[in-house]
Amino acid sequence: MNRQRVPHLLGVLIVAFFVAFPFVYSGGNYDYIMHICIIGFFYAILASSWSMLAGYAGQFSFGHMAFMGLGAYTTALFCHYFFISPEPTGICTEFAIGDQYLIIKNAIGVTSTTLTQDCLAQAMDKWNGTVEVTRMPVWLGVILGALVGGIFGLLIGLLVLRLRAAYLALFTLGFSEILRATISAEIQITRGQAGLELPSLFENGITIAGHFFSKTDKIPPYFVMLFLLLACLAVLYWLSQSRFGLFVRALREDQDAAAALGVNTTRYKVMVFVVTSSMAALAGTVYAHYVTIITPNNLMILQMSLVVAMAVIAGVENFIAAAIGAILIEFTLEMLRTSFSIGGVTIDMTLWRLVFFGVLLMLTLRFARNGLLAPLIDYFRRGHVAAETVVRRDNGGPGSDDPEASTDRQGAQA
Amino acid sequence: MIELTVSRLNKRFGGNHVLKDVSFEVNGAEMIGLIGPNGAGKTTLTNVLDGAIKPNSGTVYLNGTRIDQLPSFEVAKVGLGRTFQITRSFRRMTVLENLYVPALALGKSHKGDDVKEQAMEVLEFLTMAHLRNEYARALSGGQQKLLELGRLLMLDPDIIILDEPFAGVHPKLMEVIYEYIRRVNERGKAMIIISHQMDSIFALCKRLLVLDYGDLIADDTPENVKNDPVVIEAYLGTTEDRTGTGERDDEMRPADV
Amino acid sequence: MQYSSIFWWTILWIVFWGVTGGIGTRRVYLHKDLDTSNATLGGSLIGAAFGPFGLAPLWWKSPEIGRVMITLSSLVVIGIIAAAFANADPENNCVSNGSFVASQITNGLIIGIIYGLMAMGLTLIFSILGIVSFAHGAFYMIGGMLVYYIINIWFPGTHPLIGVLGSCLITFGLGALFERLFLTPMYDGRVERPVEYGILVTFGLSFTLTYLVAALAGFNPVKVKRFFDFPRIRLPDNSDPWLIKTSRGNMELFDTVSISNPRFVAAILSIMVLLALLYFLHRTWTGKGLRAVSQDREAAAITGINPNRMNMLAFALGCMVASLSGAVLVQAFSWLPIVGQIPEMRSFVIVVLGGLGSLPGAFVGGTLVGLVEAAGTGCVPNPQKASSYIPAYGMIILTLMLLLRPMGLFGRKFASGAHGKF
């Protein structure tokens, strides 16, 4: 069999496995395993879009989790404050749309769960159940979240145009910290550390092919997240195969040279920020609706380090490797959660697993710079090149003792 | 008919006047050598023509289009290509991908066969066809230089500026580069070659531009330039105070500790 | 508390003219072919301070924007904001209580010195190796943790200073080891993108160290009691000690400014370390070698300095300085494995503010950030909000600085390390 086909075949097999998995698997910990899968897909979206940003375009941003949080908080706030009612309340901010009213609840912060004092609750008290108020549809929040992520991606992309390497990392880190601090501090609106509750993806359950799934059922969110992952991978694949992928890699290698060859570097740099941040935001919205609560801690640097580590360990220059790696690592991390004791000494694996993870990250960076999975894929995809290389070396190929080669390298780092 | 008109170009970096009223014209498929001592402003002139930096005053027209205020990617599309003093191949992309970049930037599609065919032609010409799927970083310095020239062929500009194309190149590859320059010129492209290797310049060019500390001090045939007292003065005369920033202007200095 | 509309209008006015000044001045200076390195920062400050009345003459005359102009206009901006603030909220502690303000400023300066010390380690690493160490906070945490373990667990009864010394030695060794094991491939071009590699690998180190300490020491906060007690001083006389009055844990100056012992001791120790560091860098051969490498790597190598050896020294020294600032502060705060995160961010802010790679910049940046944080803690009326926003203040400074003048206040052009421009 042609070796180049192997990755494609494996890819199809993996997708088929994950599609069939919920119906085939029947362990006692079904919900738990499904949950890990969903979270794994979530990280896979983040890791693969980050690998497009960092690995392909060379923009090592530490703000990816912030975009995720932006998306999540957008939909959370949207679902929390916006309602539709057939009757005006008279006390809320409201707009007439046709014969319906768009109602914006007033922000009264943490207490709104215990004291039903917001204007809508008061109005509903008055109506005494005669008027039915509907929430905003979840899908609208999801779309809004992705949009907001994209818009902020555009802004950040424009702002960081002139920044390189270390400065870019610091700037994006700063952005993410400001966002987190703002969310923690504006308790009135975001409820701070207490977090915002959201409706789940299918609040009233959903019936697919005659089977009813309740809102706590894992199968619908599983497939939503899986679909989202596959869609993101498809978009990333399409982008990477089109001129977009070629150009962002060229500008990663040498921005000035790419511009001199006619590549509009500004446009592609901003575009890659927009695309990847709206993907992160999209993942964030679905994740938020799945776990039904979002707190500022989701934006913490630890979360970002997980995404970075997943992408790097699997191979940051290959988004498919990053996605698979993220799922595998999420599984491994969960499996390693159980603590055990040797000779009376209890090993708290919840912490030690992260130590191993960190060591693995450093060792991968040090000894396998392209990650652990990406070289495998590359091996199959570029198998035919090896033979040619041998031929070339026999013909007295490139002189590695050429002094030019080493000076070039310095220049190309810019 | 290729027509590049540079008139009264000025560029200052802070207090440094790096280009002083530089004017010249290129008509048709000329082969022009641009020489001058270190710090004369050769690279700055290239950068200004290419759109990487904007001149303070003066205009540049290429085939009737004003290019001095355009960003470099648009200048490339109008028809001016350049190489860099230090080779700047896309190191972690394959040789073919390196060649696709300019072609796709021109709006061609790499799905069709013609771009691939064109790229293969270029590679055959550069004697690098067997390396097409190698990463550029695996190539020797000279081969990377060839690859850079190959990218320019894919961009297919009307006028090509080569910045030090012979520096650090193996004598074997030198022949290829000579051949490349002749063949490209025969195709009707104008060329400006910057080099310190006078014998190569004299062998190839029919016309020389000499820059000295931002002044264009000569624009003549090689024979006349060789005997021009002003040029001799510039090269051999005053050796002190050649500290213009032209040659290595993009280099950054570390901050003090 | 409600801010009056005049407050918000003032802020809006400042922001609007600041942005206009920042963008416009750069355009004007570019057009007039003048040095633009200060134009964005200076323009936005002048715009924010004087509005159109400042910008019009600036754009008309376009003088060289010097340090004096920047300092003056930033002071005016601070003055305007303070005035608007005072006007909006006259009851605030920061407005009505003079001794509180004096206390805040003193304490801000004192803590700023320690911040400056920590940031100096970061800037030292950057100027020699050209990387931003994301493990700086982890070393800060380890420094404090080691002091706790040495003087309380491993060798109870050891003098705290021995503990500090021990933690310095250990972190120096750890830094050197890490540099040898993980950073060496950066120097000879084996890594394609050394800057990003440096960031990621130190990021991994930080992650590993944080959880290693958490796994070994647990997530319970530990506390070290203060290293020294103040002697009892009453000046000028016992009955009316208006000049200085000390108790064991506190010192009061002029009856108004109160400084707590741990911070004071930490600042004194920091100043001593700072002087030692400056002496080392400017008076010893090795230190001069370090500075030579930071300025011109190739030239230094020609003169017989081994740049790779200097890399190791700089990284180890930087880590040691970080751990030292942790070691002296462990007596002031309770210590957790994640305690390094905020100081790390703060160090980033400081080095960007002062200019990546500039030692005096780190020091000035440190004191500035210390003052800003003191103002933030003292003046924001809602304490809950204040505590959430304090890390963000620094980050806002950082993002503004990167946009306005990426080379920082004291940096020359873009700072660069071993690996070309950024």
Side-chain angles (χ1 to χ4, degrees):
Chain A
M1 190 184 69
N2 191 341
R3 211 164 43 168
Q4 281 166 270
R5 289 260 175 77
V6 173
H8 292 126
L9 201 69
L10 269 179
V12 172
L13 277 178
I14 292 173
V15 172
F17 169 77
F18 278 118
V19 169
F21 180 77
F23 307 110
V24 179
Y25 186 76
S26 60
N29 51 359
Y30 184 82
D31 275 4
Y32 175 58
I33 296 288
M34 289 289 279
H35 174 75
I36 299 174
C37 282
I38 297 171
I39 301 297
F41 297 155
F42 166 67
Y43 277 117
I45 299 172
L46 290 170
S48 55
S49 54
W50 190 75
S51 102
M52 172 56 88
L53 186 62
Y56 281 70
Q59 309 293 312
F60 276 74
S61 151
F62 280 85
H64 212 55
M65 244 7 198
F67 290 113
M68 187 286 290
L70 259 179
Y73 265 96
T74 304
T75 182
L77 292 172
F78 179 69
C79 293
H80 197 261
Y81 286 108
F82 290 76
F83 292 89
I84 296 223
S85 153
E87 296 284 328
T89 58
I91 38 179
C92 292
T93 317
E94 50 202 0
F95 307 96
I97 302 168
D99 59 342
Q100 299 283 315
Y101 290 87
L102 174 69
I103 293 178
I104 304 171
K105 211 159 79 170
N106 57 338
I108 58 166
V110 185
T111 53
S112 62
T113 45
T114 45
L115 308 170
T116 50
Q117 281 180 340
D118 64 78
C119 62
L120 186 64
Q122 286 173 11
M124 282 170 77
D125 265 355
K126 207 167 62 195
W127 290 329
N128 217 349
T130 53
V131 179
E132 189 140 335
V133 176
T134 40
R135 281 176 183 281
M136 283 298 181
V138 166
W139 58 264
L140 198 56
V142 168
I143 291 171
L144 266 181
L147 268 180
V148 169
I151 291 167
F152 270 83
L154 179 72
L155 288 178
I156 296 292
L158 285 172
L159 287 178
V160 300
L161 272 177
R162 284 162 60 209
L163 301 178
R164 295 180 187 205
Y167 291 93
L168 177 85
L170 293 180
F171 185 91
T172 47
L173 190 66
F175 166 69
S176 118
E177 279 301 302
I178 290 173
L179 189 72
R180 191 172 70 89
T182 312
I183 292 172
S184 320
E186 293 302 328
I187 297 168
Q188 286 279 307
I189 299 167
T190 64
R191 295 214 211 164
Q193 291 291 338
L196 265 181
E197 282 169 31
L198 295 88
S200 43
L201 273 176
F202 304 102
E203 187 67 16
N204 302 318
I206 185 172
T207 309
I208 303 166
H211 191 286
F212 177 77
F213 295 97
S214 79
K215 73 171 181 180
T216 53
D217 231 316
K218 297 285 182 197
I219 287 183
Y222 176 94
F223 279 105
V224 170
M225 202 60 109
L226 180 60
F227 171 77
L228 205 60
L229 171 60
L230 293 178
C232 282
L233 288 180
V235 170
L236 288 177
Y237 183 78
W238 174 68
L239 284 175
S240 74
Q241 296 298 311
S242 69
R243 66 190 70 220
F244 178 92
L246 199 68
F247 290 167
V248 295
R249 279 163 66 212
L251 79 90
R252 164 191 76 189
E253 293 300 309
D254 194 322
Q255 212 173 310
D256 301 333
L261 292 172
V263 177
N264 188 345
T265 47
T266 309
R267 181 204 284 173
Y268 285 96
K269 217 170 165 180
V270 173
M271 253 168 82
V272 74
F273 263 99
V274 172
V275 169
T276 56
S277 28
S278 46
M279 276 182 189
L282 196 60
T285 57
V286 175
Y287 169 80
H289 280 294
Y290 164 64
V291 296
T292 66
I293 184 153
I294 177 91
T295 70
N297 291 347
N298 292 101
L299 279 69
M300 269 196 346
I301 187 86
L302 167 68
Q303 301 287 322
M304 189 63 222
S305 26
L306 275 180
V307 173
V308 170
M310 284 167 171
V312 169
I313 290 175
V316 74
E317 281 170 36
N318 187 323
F319 59 87
I320 295 186
I324 298 172
I327 299 173
L328 283 179
I329 289 168
E330 172 65 21
F331 257 91
T332 322
L333 281 179
E334 283 299 323
M335 294 301 118
L336 287 175
R337 210 183 251 282
T338 33
S339 305
F340 57 92
S341 52
I342 313 167
V345 183
T346 312
I347 309 282
D348 182 9
M349 280 309 285
T350 47
L351 291 171
W352 278 107
R353 65 191 175 129
L354 294 172
V355 178
F356 296 138
F357 190 50
V359 172
L360 181 63
L361 170 62
M362 291 201 307
L363 291 178
T364 311
L365 275 167
R366 174 70 179 81
F367 297 108
R369 235 148 273 134
N370 296 329
L372 301 177
L373 277 180
L376 269 180
I377 299 177
D378 221 35
Y379 167 76
F380 286 110
R381 290 249 315 274
R382 292 171 43 81
H384 55 290
V385 181
E388 284 173 10
T389 311
V390 172
V391 174
R392 176 172 56 92
R393 296 218 195 288
D394 288 348
N395 295 343
S400 52
D401 51 342
D402 187 348
E404 187 73 12
S406 55
T407 44
D408 284 354
R409 180 183 299 281
Q410 299 289 327
Q413 298 305 343
Chain B
M1 182 68 182
I2 300 158
E3 202 175 23
L4 179 76
T5 316
V6 178
S7 40
R8 301 181 65 86
L9 217 50
N10 276 286
K11 180 68 203 174
R12 276 167 297 233
F13 290 118
N16 265 331
H17 204 159
V18 188
L19 294 177
K20 298 170 190 158
D21 273 343
V22 173
S23 308
F24 63 92
E25 282 182 21
V26 179
N27 289 306
E30 281 190 273
M31 184 93 92
I32 300 170
L34 175 61
I35 59 172
N38 281 334
K42 303 184 296 279
T43 300
T44 306
L45 179 60
T46 313
N47 285 339
V48 170
L49 293 180
D50 156 60
I53 49 181
K54 304 273 170 284
N56 295 122
S57 63
T59 55
V60 183
Y61 283 88
L62 175 59
N63 298 339
T65 314
R66 187 173 169 178
I67 59 170
D68 54 90
Q69 296 299 323
L70 294 181
S72 52
F73 76 94
E74 300 216 9
V75 174
K77 285 180 183 167
V78 173
L80 187 144
R82 56 91 58 102
T83 63
F84 293 88
Q85 198 171 0
I86 34 170
T87 322
R88 299 172 106 165
S89 52
F90 302 133
R91 297 175 55 82
R92 279 180 299 168
M93 293 165 71
T94 64
V95 168
L96 266 184
E97 283 171 336
N98 264 275
L99 295 180
Y100 285 162
V101 169
L104 264 60
L106 287 176
K108 295 176 189 166
S109 163
H110 63 317
K111 295 288 191 300
D113 282 338
D114 47 338
V115 170
K116 188 167 185 189
E117 250 168 48
Q118 194 193 350
M120 286 313 294
E121 253 170 50
V122 167
L123 285 180
E124 292 291 346
F125 171 55
L126 297 174
T127 66
M128 287 169 66
H130 59 295
L131 299 173
R132 63 185 178 281
N133 286 320
E134 278 302 327
Y135 283 116
R137 65 176 165 200
L139 305 182
S140 74
Q143 286 169 328
Q144 293 197 26
K145 213 142 218 170
L146 284 182
L147 179 58
E148 232 184 328
L149 298 175
R151 290 194 311 210
L152 277 186
L153 282 187
M154 298 295 287
L155 181 67
D156 202 26
D158 293 330
I159 179 160
I160 293 177
I161 307 176
L162 301 178
D163 202 345
E164 297 288 355
F166 313 114
V169 173
H170 191 271
K172 249 200 228 162
L173 291 179
M174 197 87 137
E175 287 303 314
V176 182
I177 293 179
Y178 271 143
E179 180 61 21
Y180 169 91
I181 291 173
R182 279 200 205 94
R183 292 250 294 260
V184 171
N185 189 232
E186 277 164 21
R187 284 193 198 177
K189 311 281 175 203
M191 281 207 166
I192 299 177
I193 302 170
I194 301 173
S195 182
H196 278 103
Q197 300 196 4
M198 290 305 161
D199 39 350
S200 309
I201 290 275
F202 284 122
L204 285 167
C205 303
K206 302 280 178 295
R207 179 181 163 199
L208 288 188
L209 301 174
V210 187
L211 269 180
D212 177 43
Y213 207 30
D215 278 316
L216 191 63
I217 54 170
D219 178 357
D220 214 332
T221 60
E223 288 69 34
N224 292 347
V225 165
K226 239 186 262 183
N227 303 320
D228 190 333
V230 183
V231 175
I232 295 168
E233 165 79 11
Y235 267 90
L236 304 171
T238 53
T239 45
E240 77 278 6
D241 194 22
R242 294 275 179 227
T243 48
T245 47
E247 207 65 26
R248 304 183 70 178
D249 49 71
D250 56 352
E251 191 175 83
M252 300 297 177
R253 308 286 308 163
D256 270 323
V257 170
Chain C
M1 187 210 68
Q2 287 294 322
Y3 286 126
S4 56
S5 63
I6 197 164
F7 176 78
W8 291 115
W9 281 114
T10 317
I11 297 294
L12 198 68
W13 168 268
I14 287 178
V15 169
F16 175 77
W17 287 108
V19 171
T20 316
I23 297 170
T25 310
R26 193 182 139 77
R27 286 269 163 87
V28 170
Y29 275 58
L30 264 182
H31 188 74
K32 293 195 179 178
D33 173 42
L34 295 160
D35 181 23
T36 56
S37 54
N38 275 335
T40 320
L41 177 67
S44 65
L45 279 173
I46 289 167
F50 307 109
F53 313 106
L55 287 181
L58 181 74
W59 292 354
W60 179 253
K61 285 278 189 193
S62 52
E64 193 180 331
I65 301 177
R67 207 153 271 176
V68 180
M69 220 188 273
I70 290 178
T71 319
L72 268 181
S73 43
S74 51
L75 286 178
V76 172
V77 176
I78 293 171
I80 294 175
I81 294 178
F85 190 75
N87 179 283
D89 185 18
E91 305 295 297
N92 193 290
N93 244 344
C94 281
V95 182
S96 55
N97 189 341
S99 75
F100 177 78
V101 174
S103 250
Q104 285 290 329
I105 289 178
T106 320
N107 279 302
L109 280 176
I110 284 177
I111 203 88
I113 290 168
I114 307 165
Y115 293 171
L117 177 72
M118 182 172 173
M120 246 179 215
L122 195 63
T123 219
L124 190 68
I125 295 175
F126 183 84
S127 61
I128 309 285
L129 286 93
I131 61 166
V132 177
S133 168
F134 273 64
H136 216 58
F139 276 100
Y140 168 89
M141 177 271 295
I142 284 186
M145 222 36 137
L146 279 173
V147 170
Y148 170 78
Y149 270 84
I150 290 173
I151 68 174
N152 285 351
I153 311 277
W154 296 337
F155 311 103
T158 321
H159 193 273
L161 285 188
I162 306 283
V164 172
L165 201 66
S167 99
C168 283
L169 287 177
I170 296 175
T171 43
F172 186 89
L174 205 59
L177 186 71
F178 174 77
E179 192 274 341
R180 280 295 104 183
L181 287 180
F182 288 100
L183 296 183
T184 40
M186 282 171 46
Y187 311 142
D188 51 12
R190 270 184 285 162
V191 180
E192 282 287 341
R193 300 171 67 83
V195 179
E196 283 85 353
Y197 173 79
I199 289 175
L200 288 178
V201 80
T202 50
F203 195 66
L205 176 68
S206 157
F207 192 88
T208 313
L209 286 179
T210 306
Y211 287 102
L212 184 67
V213 172
L216 290 173
F219 254 112
N220 300 322
V222 298
K223 186 102 205 258
V224 175
K225 71 179 183 56
R226 56 176 174 268
F227 294 170
F228 304 102
D229 287 341
F230 281 134
R232 191 185 148 84
I233 302 173
R234 293 279 185 276
L235 284 175
D237 69 86
N238 227 341
S239 55
D240 179 26
W242 60 268
L243 188 62
I244 181 167
K245 183 178 90 181
T246 60
S247 64
R248 264 186 283 173
N250 203 21
M251 169 158 53
E252 211 175 305
L253 300 173
F254 311 112
D255 273 341
T256 49
V257 180
S258 139
I259 304 163
S260 77
N261 171 306
R263 290 189 178 205
F264 184 77
V265 170
I268 297 292
L269 287 174
S270 296
I271 290 173
M272 280 158 58
V273 173
L274 211 71
L275 292 177
L277 195 64
L278 289 179
Y279 178 83
F280 169 74
L281 285 174
H282 288 262
R283 290 281 178 274
T284 64
W285 272 111
T286 328
K288 284 180 183 169
L290 266 181
R291 290 195 310 144
V293 172
S294 87
Q295 280 169 23
D296 194 328
R297 227 181 157 70
E298 280 81 31
I302 289 166
T303 61
I305 300 166
N306 181 351
N308 284 359
R309 189 65 53 77
M310 290 299 159
N311 285 339
M312 179 166 91
L313 182 64
F315 193 83
L317 214 57
C319 293
M320 189 189 86
V321 166
S323 87
L324 220 141
S325 45
V328 297
L329 275 182
V330 69
Q331 41 162 355
F333 304 117
S334 55
W335 223 247
L336 276 169
I338 53 162
V339 81
Q341 274 180 8
I342 290 176
E344 178 173 283
M345 304 268 181
R346 193 186 287 128
S347 300
F348 293 157
V349 175
I350 292 168
V351 292
V352 169
L353 187 64
L356 264 171
S358 153
L359 281 186
F363 192 69
V364 174
T367 34
L368 280 179
V369 168
L371 284 174
V372 168
E373 287 195 358
T377 347
C379 300
V380 174
N382 182 342
Q384 205 174 4
K385 266 193 188 179
S387 67
S388 303
Y389 269 130
I390 282 167
Y393 290 139
M395 284 298 160
I396 291 167
I397 297 178
L398 177 125
T399 39
L400 280 179
M401 206 63 208
L402 284 177
L403 294 179
L404 295 176
R405 194 182 144 90
M407 64 288 263
L409 293 175
F410 288 78
R412 271 201 278 130
K413 279 218 144 190
F414 279 99
S416 90
H419 307 287
K421 63 182 172 179
F422 280 53

